[in-house]
Short mmCIF file of all heavy atoms in Angstrom, two decimals:
data_model
loop_
_atom_site.label_atom_id
_atom_site.label_comp_id
_atom_site.label_asym_id
_atom_site.label_seq_id
_atom_site.Cartn_x
_atom_site.Cartn_y
_atom_site.Cartn_z
N VAL A 156 6.74 -11.75 0.72
CA VAL A 156 6.67 -13.14 0.12
C VAL A 156 8.03 -13.89 0.32
O VAL A 156 8.85 -13.93 -0.62
CB VAL A 156 6.23 -13.10 -1.33
CG1 VAL A 156 7.23 -12.24 -2.24
CG2 VAL A 156 6.07 -14.44 -1.94
N ARG A 157 8.21 -14.41 1.49
CA ARG A 157 9.38 -15.15 1.73
C ARG A 157 9.03 -16.07 2.78
O ARG A 157 8.18 -15.96 3.64
CB ARG A 157 10.54 -14.23 2.13
CG ARG A 157 10.21 -13.35 3.33
CD ARG A 157 11.38 -12.47 3.73
NE ARG A 157 11.56 -11.40 2.72
CZ ARG A 157 12.70 -10.70 2.63
NH1 ARG A 157 13.64 -10.82 3.53
NH2 ARG A 157 12.82 -9.77 1.71
N GLY A 159 7.56 -18.87 2.69
CA GLY A 159 6.18 -19.58 2.68
C GLY A 159 5.09 -18.56 2.99
O GLY A 159 3.99 -18.97 3.02
N ASN A 160 5.37 -17.27 3.19
CA ASN A 160 4.31 -16.28 3.40
C ASN A 160 3.43 -16.11 2.17
O ASN A 160 3.85 -16.23 1.08
CB ASN A 160 4.91 -14.95 3.76
CG ASN A 160 5.81 -15.03 5.07
OD1 ASN A 160 5.52 -15.87 5.93
ND2 ASN A 160 6.78 -14.15 5.19
N ARG A 161 2.17 -15.87 2.50
CA ARG A 161 1.16 -15.64 1.35
C ARG A 161 0.80 -14.31 1.28
O ARG A 161 0.73 -13.48 2.23
CB ARG A 161 -0.07 -16.55 1.68
CG ARG A 161 0.27 -18.07 1.77
CD ARG A 161 -1.04 -18.86 1.70
NE ARG A 161 -2.00 -18.43 2.68
CZ ARG A 161 -3.27 -18.84 2.61
NH1 ARG A 161 -3.68 -19.63 1.65
NH2 ARG A 161 -4.12 -18.48 3.57
N ILE A 162 0.49 -13.81 0.06
CA ILE A 162 0.11 -12.47 -0.21
C ILE A 162 -1.01 -12.42 -1.19
O ILE A 162 -1.01 -13.19 -2.18
CB ILE A 162 1.30 -11.57 -0.72
CG1 ILE A 162 0.85 -10.12 -0.83
CG2 ILE A 162 1.95 -12.11 -1.99
CD1 ILE A 162 2.02 -9.18 -1.03
N ARG A 199 -1.67 -16.30 -2.26
CA ARG A 199 -0.85 -17.53 -2.56
C ARG A 199 0.62 -17.28 -2.15
O ARG A 199 0.99 -16.11 -2.02
CB ARG A 199 -0.94 -17.96 -3.98
CG ARG A 199 -2.33 -18.30 -4.51
CD ARG A 199 -2.33 -18.96 -5.83
NE ARG A 199 -3.62 -19.40 -6.29
CZ ARG A 199 -4.43 -18.74 -7.02
NH1 ARG A 199 -4.16 -17.55 -7.38
NH2 ARG A 199 -5.58 -19.22 -7.35
N SER A 200 1.36 -18.30 -1.95
CA SER A 200 2.72 -18.18 -1.62
C SER A 200 3.58 -18.45 -2.87
O SER A 200 3.11 -19.07 -3.80
CB SER A 200 3.11 -19.22 -0.57
OG SER A 200 2.84 -20.52 -1.01
N GLY A 201 4.80 -18.00 -2.84
CA GLY A 201 5.65 -18.26 -3.99
C GLY A 201 5.96 -16.94 -4.77
O GLY A 201 5.06 -16.09 -4.84
N ARG A 202 7.15 -16.83 -5.29
CA ARG A 202 7.49 -15.60 -5.98
C ARG A 202 6.71 -15.47 -7.35
O ARG A 202 6.45 -14.40 -7.81
CB ARG A 202 8.95 -15.56 -6.25
CG ARG A 202 9.78 -15.45 -4.98
CD ARG A 202 11.19 -14.98 -5.25
NE ARG A 202 11.98 -14.73 -4.02
CZ ARG A 202 11.97 -13.62 -3.39
NH1 ARG A 202 11.23 -12.63 -3.89
NH2 ARG A 202 12.59 -13.40 -2.24
N ARG A 203 6.42 -16.69 -7.99
CA ARG A 203 5.71 -16.62 -9.21
C ARG A 203 4.31 -16.03 -9.10
O ARG A 203 3.85 -15.20 -9.86
CB ARG A 203 5.63 -18.02 -9.87
CG ARG A 203 4.96 -18.01 -11.22
CD ARG A 203 4.92 -19.44 -11.80
NE ARG A 203 6.26 -19.88 -12.05
CZ ARG A 203 6.54 -21.07 -12.48
NH1 ARG A 203 5.62 -21.92 -12.86
NH2 ARG A 203 7.87 -21.42 -12.81
N GLU A 204 3.66 -16.48 -8.03
CA GLU A 204 2.30 -15.92 -7.72
C GLU A 204 2.43 -14.44 -7.33
O GLU A 204 1.57 -13.64 -7.66
CB GLU A 204 1.66 -16.74 -6.57
CG GLU A 204 1.23 -18.11 -7.00
CD GLU A 204 2.26 -19.11 -7.23
OE1 GLU A 204 3.44 -18.79 -6.78
OE2 GLU A 204 2.05 -20.18 -7.85
N ALA A 205 3.45 -14.09 -6.65
CA ALA A 205 3.63 -12.70 -6.28
C ALA A 205 3.81 -11.82 -7.53
O ALA A 205 3.30 -10.75 -7.60
CB ALA A 205 4.79 -12.50 -5.25
N GLN A 206 4.62 -12.33 -8.47
CA GLN A 206 4.75 -11.61 -9.69
C GLN A 206 3.46 -11.48 -10.47
O GLN A 206 3.23 -10.37 -11.07
CB GLN A 206 5.82 -12.37 -10.58
CG GLN A 206 7.22 -12.39 -9.97
CD GLN A 206 7.82 -11.04 -9.73
OE1 GLN A 206 7.56 -10.09 -10.46
NE2 GLN A 206 8.57 -10.93 -8.64
#
Side-chain angles (χ1 to χ4, degrees):
V156 59
R157 58 181 69 193
N160 298 333
R161 301 197 302 167
I162 184 168
R199 295 189 176 95
S200 60
R202 294 194 176 275
R203 180 177 299 178
E204 286 72 15
Q206 297 299 327

